[in-house]
């Protein structure tokens, strides 16, 4: 593991690190904020998965999460959104290939050799963090934006007992039914749609739900809301009687201005679950 | 109008009054909490509509709303849930007739002469309050529980500009599709279902939505949740991109213990809209 940078932030440290990933078979970069409390021992950790076109950096510099994580004494992890590098397959479109890993393990050519973001986020990176940093693996929670909200919701539901809470900003709620999803799931996982179901938050909610609290914010002026389909997940959450808070925030759009406006409440929501 | 009782409460006054209602053609009783600020001039008002079997008294004595209304300087109105008296039609079932007015204007025998709770709550009682008490008719909001949540949601959507906010505890969300609704709407309004639509929050949301903020709480352990159908309204709210907060509260049931647990947040939500 290599340290790219470390900056003092809110009396803690905002670091950026790279390492050779076995899951993705390439070098991967991630951001990690450690609060002051990490100097004294392991702290709980909140994952934040970013959306299409993002790297580890977008949420790290634009979401305004560190101030609230510092207040609650929790770490923040900002993974990249795909494998990267010269030997890694890509596509000219913004929504496929590098920057658009969709948090799945690809099985199809040319993606299968590197595009294993599901294993990377669920298995490899958590183990690295527990080995290298004062992170308490028994107190994890997860959040994300757009494609990253999709990743957070699907990972949380697929790993009972792992994440104490899940939240999402403008998540892609029903990718098997929309243009933000069908294209990518077909490319990465192939045409057999039976394998897509764990990667659709609405279908996962119908199948199992989540064993903890859930918070979802979507802006009513989100320019991509027809692709996000919050109505499908809202129906599934209520039908399952899933503990949840679903909010439609008036006038907010899909940007990081929306995310940062509600980050304080999301971090407080995670902190309550991480410290209970 | 006759004063039944007045008690000092939270530095304001909890009153109970009766009057002869033209809408219902019988004497009607209601509770009204006036905060201390009402001594100095008109105050905003939050309506609270109660559920099946309730009178004006249940929410007044069990919901714990006065302490928060006092804190925010707003009045609370607790109407009865139906016309009452010896000459008023009734039914042996708990969910039809007296105590079960469903906030509609009945058109069918034997209900039509008295069961006009829609007009009573929307027109007659607001006019009486504005005439007799220091209530500001330009700052009203509405809430309710179960059948009263149904009433609050449908009245709010049918009167654009009237209510600055609407909230509900465990509302009956889709009465045209369930056993808490079809029986009563058929009895009061007759078999032509086209007239039922304004009295179904899910259908009203699909048709028009609400021109303000909305807050809805339902307990995941609500013993009547299959009759409430929160999933239908959740889907409709998200599909309309309606400004809203929908919460499924873990372990809470249908009782006033549930209501009182979240009343502080509901009154604060109303106060924000009433004072903006």
């Amino acid at each position: 593991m290599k340290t790219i940078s470390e900056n003092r932030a809110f009396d803690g440290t905002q670091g950026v690190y790279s390492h050779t990933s076995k899951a993705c078979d390439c070098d991967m970069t991630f951001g990690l904020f450690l609060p002051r409390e990490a100097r004294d021992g392991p702290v709980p950790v909140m994952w934040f998965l970013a959306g299409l076109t993002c790297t580890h950096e977008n949420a790290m510099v634009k979401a305004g999460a560190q101030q609230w994580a510092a207040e609650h004494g929790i770490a923040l992890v900002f993974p990249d959104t795909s494998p990267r590098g010269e030997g890694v397959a890509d596509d000219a479109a913004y929504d496929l290939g590098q920057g658009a890993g969709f948090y799945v393990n690809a099985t199809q050519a040319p993606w299968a050799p590197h595009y294993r973001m599901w294993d990377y986020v669920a298995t490899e990176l958590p183990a690295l963090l527990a080995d290298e940093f004062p992170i308490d693996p028994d107190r994890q929670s997860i959040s994300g934006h757009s494609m990253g909200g999709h990743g957070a919701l699907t990972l949380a539901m697929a790993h009972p007992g792992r994440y104490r809470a899940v939240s999402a900003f403008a998540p892609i709620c029903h990718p098997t039914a929309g243009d933000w999803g069908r294209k990518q799931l077909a490319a990465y996982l192939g045409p057999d749609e039976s394998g897509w179901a764990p990667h659709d938050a609405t279908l996962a909610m119908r199948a199992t739900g989540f064993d903890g609290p859930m918070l979802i914010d979507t802006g009513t002026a989100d320019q991509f809301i027809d692709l996000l389909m919050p109505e499908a997940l809202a129906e599934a959450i209520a039908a399952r009687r899933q503990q949840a808070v679903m909010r439609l925030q008036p006038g907010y759009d899909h940007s990081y201005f929306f995310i940062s406006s509600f980050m304080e409440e999301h971090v407080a929501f995670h902190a309550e679950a991480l410290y209970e």
Side-chain angles (χ1 to χ4, degrees), chain A:
Chain A
M1 199 186 72
K2 183 177 151 194
T3 300
I4 306 290
S5 63
E6 288 183 331
N7 297 84
R8 179 59 44 97
F10 296 97
D11 210 18
T13 302
Q14 178 61 61
V16 176
Y17 309 93
S18 72
H19 67 113
T20 302
S21 163
K22 285 185 185 168
C24 296
D25 194 19
C26 66
D27 286 349
M28 293 291 283
T29 303
F30 63 92
L32 174 68
F33 172 74
L34 288 174
R36 179 191 178 85
E37 288 80 355
R39 297 173 204 166
D40 301 323
V43 294
V45 60
M46 171 180 163
W47 293 73
F48 191 92
L49 306 185
L52 288 167
T53 77
C54 290
T55 68
H56 68 282
E57 193 179 26
N58 300 64
M60 190 181 89
V61 303
K62 295 202 291 181
Q66 292 89 344
Q67 58 185 313
W68 313 118
E71 187 174 303
H72 292 286
I74 66 181
L76 298 168
V77 193
F78 303 99
D80 204 345
T81 62
S82 77
R84 295 185 191 272
E86 288 198 7
V88 174
D90 200 5
D91 189 276
Y94 76 98
D95 61 355
L96 190 67
Q98 295 187 30
F102 256 78
Y103 305 101
V104 301
N105 292 332
T107 59
Q108 307 295 302
W111 314 108
H114 298 283
Y115 283 77
R116 301 184 61 81
M117 290 299 293
W118 181 269
D119 280 356
Y120 178 68
V121 172
T123 306
E124 184 177 21
L125 189 51
L128 179 75
L129 293 176
D131 284 348
E132 300 282 347
F133 297 97
I135 296 288
D136 179 358
D138 291 332
R139 287 186 291 166
Q140 299 188 60
S141 70
I142 193 163
S143 182
H145 172 232
S146 196
M147 176 183 75
H150 144 77
L153 291 167
T154 53
L155 282 158
M157 285 187 269
H159 294 88
R162 167 76 66 89
Y163 304 102
R164 295 201 186 178
V166 62
S167 79
F169 298 84
I172 301 174
C173 293
H174 197 18
T176 64
D179 287 344
W180 271 0
R182 293 193 62 80
K183 168 186 175 178
Q184 295 85 354
L185 295 173
Y188 295 141
L189 302 178
D192 177 4
E193 296 191 23
S194 66
W196 298 6
H199 302 290
D200 181 304
T202 295
L203 299 181
M205 180 56 63
R206 289 179 191 158
T208 63
F210 176 62
D211 57 343
M214 179 175 277
L215 169 63
I216 301 173
D217 273 317
T218 304
T220 63
D222 190 308
Q223 56 270 50
F224 303 110
I225 197 166
D226 291 341
L227 295 164
L228 304 176
M229 285 179 270
E231 62 275 19
L233 184 56
E235 194 276 346
I237 285 172
R240 174 155 295 280
R241 323 318 189 191
Q242 164 73 48
Q243 172 182 3
V245 175
M246 296 172 276
R247 305 190 296 194
L248 287 145
Q249 302 284 11
Y252 286 89
D253 59 29
H254 201 69
S255 72
Y256 272 84
F257 294 111
F258 158 63
I259 298 172
S260 58
S261 297
F262 298 100
M263 184 56 81
E264 178 180 8
E265 292 172 19
H266 279 246
V267 175
F269 162 79
H270 286 263
E272 188 177 337
L274 291 167
Y275 278 108
E276 77 183 1

